[in-house]
Amino acid sequence: MFVNYDDTHFVHSRTKFGVEMTADEMRRMVRQYKGTDVTDLLFCISGRIADVPNTVKESWIDKYHQTNENGYAVNYTGDMYARAAHEQYEVQKVDRVAIWLDEARKCGIRPWLSFRMNDCHNNSMPTNFLHPEFFHRHPEYRRIRHRSPSLYFDRCFDYAFKPIRDRELGYIGEILGRYDTDGVEIDWMREPYCFAPGREDRAVMTGFMREVRRLADGAAKRLGHPVKVLARVPADPETALRFGFDAAAWADEKLVDVLVPCPRWETTDNEIATDLWKRLLRGTGVQLAPGVEIRIVRERPFYVSVEQLMGAAAWHYSAGADGFYLYNYFDDPSWKEGDKVGFGYWAERNQAPETVAPAWGNQVKWLRMIGHPDKVLAAPRDHVLTYHDIVPLWGSREHALPVKLGKNWLHYFRLA
């Protein structure tokens, strides 16, 4: 069971509930997963900027000290993320990432470092705590250059440009030289739009993954233990290929050890072709861990229920999945042992807390069963008709429902 821990959640949730971010609290966060079915924790440490000090990318600490951005006067000393980075790294001299890696191993959990390859949150703003100066200075490296950017993914970087690839590889290499990790996650789902439309280049992406493999193997030689590579790609094999991600070739070349086909955000995609992915990976030794999101639909109430989560798990197990991958499933620092589920961090006014799968009071229960197929199959479960939230650029996200029926019509649905 793989769990991705977002790079902003720890600070956001502790700030929200007034919990002091000490070294003890950092370790306590990780210890919550001890004794569960979680075998691997993946700690995200970069988006467009980095979480930790380095020589390649601007970091939260650089943003704390920044006074001018993109020609505008700025002050990020009040930003919770920049302020927390300054307090931890420069005042307390505490390295949150190193603590998490160490505590995970003490808990018998494999620690990974996760890298978002093309995150574009808040990209239309002239200044933002997520923007590096590199983003402002190089509009020529963005994927949409033939017209003014207007859509959300227009300002994503174009991996056809070597400086973009070198920047990411340089950061990964420096981080692998600093920390003792069991693996690196290459997260192509933040965001999968990595080329100009119609110029999606599989050879470029496969070459990039070869370099990641080389860096991981170099780190493994230095550390004296394997450093694995995990890649997150679109749920549908054809869609992944059309975006430039030839995941089957990566598996054949042993460039990855774990493959995570998954939705982007809108829904936990029950239409992931787990059985087809399993066939594509046959004979490669690559572990298949389909990704599960926290939403069932974009509209409210939208959190996955425990029964819906069990339904997704049952499908993936029966289709041959080797494990599962949870994205956006976070802890809740306001929750205490013995509490009822409660709203806490996962408050949703249109949804009863006892039904919400991500609610921490529920997570601490089902995280102790979801790794066992027999327990999943014996649990109450719902199988829900969903949809692919990422499709090829020329495709459309078609919802199966609603559908108009007539007296002499038949309409078929496939429920995994």
Side-chain angles (χ1 to χ4, degrees):
M1 173 67 65
F2 297 83
V3 174
N4 178 290
Y5 202 81
D6 178 276
D7 63 337
T8 59
H9 171 74
F10 183 81
V11 172
H12 179 263
S13 60
R14 272 63 187 176
T15 302
K16 179 176 181 178
F17 292 106
V19 177
E20 192 174 354
M21 287 173 275
T22 62
D24 286 343
E25 175 61 15
M26 296 169 192
R27 291 187 181 276
R28 189 196 71 80
M29 184 281 289
V30 176
R31 283 197 301 271
Q32 296 175 110
Y33 295 96
K34 185 177 182 179
T36 70
D37 293 344
V38 177
T39 57
D40 300 77
L41 273 172
L42 303 95
F43 302 105
C44 180
I45 61 168
S46 80
R48 207 180 298 113
I49 66 170
D51 289 48
V52 298
N54 68 97
T55 64
V56 180
K57 285 186 171 186
E58 290 167 65
S59 71
W60 297 118
I61 295 173
D62 295 318
K63 298 300 287 188
Y64 180 85
H65 295 290
Q66 189 174 26
T67 58
N68 188 280
E69 177 186 353
N70 195 27
Y72 298 88
V74 294
N75 183 346
Y76 292 114
T77 58
D79 174 79
M80 72 173 79
Y81 307 109
R83 187 176 67 248
H86 162 70
E87 179 66 25
Q88 290 161 21
Y89 283 92
E90 297 186 315
V91 178
Q92 298 179 24
K93 308 296 183 184
V94 170
D95 187 333
R96 184 172 74 221
V97 174
I99 289 174
W100 283 345
L101 296 174
D102 178 67
E103 190 62 30
R105 284 209 175 86
K106 289 180 178 178
C107 294
I109 298 172
R110 288 183 290 268
W112 298 58
L113 295 175
S114 176
F115 302 84
R116 294 183 175 186
M117 303 315 299
N118 212 355
D119 195 288
C120 66
H121 276 85
N122 304 336
N123 67 82
S124 63
M125 301 174 68
T127 65
N128 190 264
F129 69 98
L130 289 170
H131 295 342
E133 280 299 321
F134 183 88
F135 172 73
H136 297 303
R137 291 173 183 167
H138 295 287
E140 73 275 16
Y141 292 153
R142 299 176 191 177
R143 57 183 294 272
I144 298 299
R145 302 177 298 279
H146 61 286
R147 58 170 171 78
S148 297
S150 58
L151 304 177
Y152 185 76
F153 301 108
D154 287 0
R155 296 177 181 84
C156 285
F157 288 132
D158 187 340
Y159 269 73
F161 292 103
K162 190 172 183 294
I164 299 300
R165 306 195 299 273
D166 288 347
R167 181 172 179 263
E168 296 301 330
L169 290 168
Y171 179 62
I172 294 170
E174 181 170 326
I175 293 302
L176 281 174
R178 180 188 309 175
Y179 295 109
D180 185 353
T181 179
D182 280 17
V184 292
E185 175 183 27
I186 305 302
D187 185 356
W188 292 114
M189 295 302 288
R190 290 293 185 275
E191 301 289 347
Y193 299 86
C194 295
F195 293 99
R199 298 183 181 275
E200 296 82 7
D201 195 327
R202 302 172 205 165
V204 165
M205 281 306 186
T206 299
F208 184 92
M209 294 303 295
R210 289 191 189 109
E211 289 301 303
V212 172
R213 177 85 269 173
R214 181 182 63 80
L215 291 171
D217 288 346
K221 185 176 181 180
R222 176 180 65 84
L223 295 169
H225 64 71
V227 176
K228 295 184 177 182
V229 177
L230 176 151
R232 224 165 65 100
V233 297
D236 177 65
E238 181 184 2
T239 299
L241 193 68
R242 301 303 177 216
F243 272 77
F245 308 121
D246 193 348
W250 303 349
D252 288 340
E253 283 195 45
K254 301 190 183 306
L255 305 181
V256 296
D257 301 285
V258 184
L259 188 68
V260 178
C262 57
R264 176 183 174 266
W265 173 78
E266 285 189 16
T267 176
T268 189
D269 188 349
N270 289 330
E271 302 305 309
I272 295 176
T274 304
D275 47 358
L276 178 55
W277 278 113
K278 191 69 176 178
R279 175 65 184 86
L280 292 172
L281 299 181
R282 184 184 296 173
T284 65
V286 172
Q287 185 177 1
L288 179 65
V292 179
E293 259 287 354
I294 61 170
R295 292 170 176 80
I296 197 68
V297 292
R298 185 169 186 168
E299 296 76 18
R300 287 182 164 144
F302 52 46
Y303 287 136
V304 172
S305 72
V306 176
E307 290 80 11
Q308 290 165 351
L309 181 63
M310 291 301 110
W315 153 242
H316 293 310
Y317 273 135
S318 64
D322 301 303
F324 294 99
Y325 177 107
L326 301 174
Y327 203 85
N328 283 330
Y329 283 81
F330 305 135
D331 72 315
D332 181 351
S334 71
W335 188 86
K336 300 292 186 296
E337 190 72 37
D339 283 357
K340 294 182 179 180
V341 175
F343 279 109
Y345 186 82
W346 294 100
E348 170 52 56
R349 66 181 182 275
N350 294 321
Q351 197 167 359
E354 59 269 17
T355 72
V356 176
W360 189 247
N362 288 329
Q363 282 199 57
V364 295
K365 297 174 184 176
W366 58 255
L367 280 175
R368 288 172 168 80
M369 63 173 289
I370 198 169
H372 300 80
D374 55 337
K375 293 182 180 180
V376 169
L377 293 173
R381 64 185 192 269
D382 292 341
H383 294 269
V384 183
L385 194 63
T386 58
Y387 58 96
H388 292 318
D389 67 352
I390 286 290
V391 297
L393 294 176
W394 57 89
S396 60
R397 293 179 296 178
E398 296 181 357
H399 295 234
L401 295 173
V403 64
K404 183 179 290 188
L405 298 177
K407 182 177 180 181
N408 298 314
W409 297 355
L410 286 176
H411 195 96
Y412 290 89
F413 304 97
R414 177 182 181 272
L415 279 176

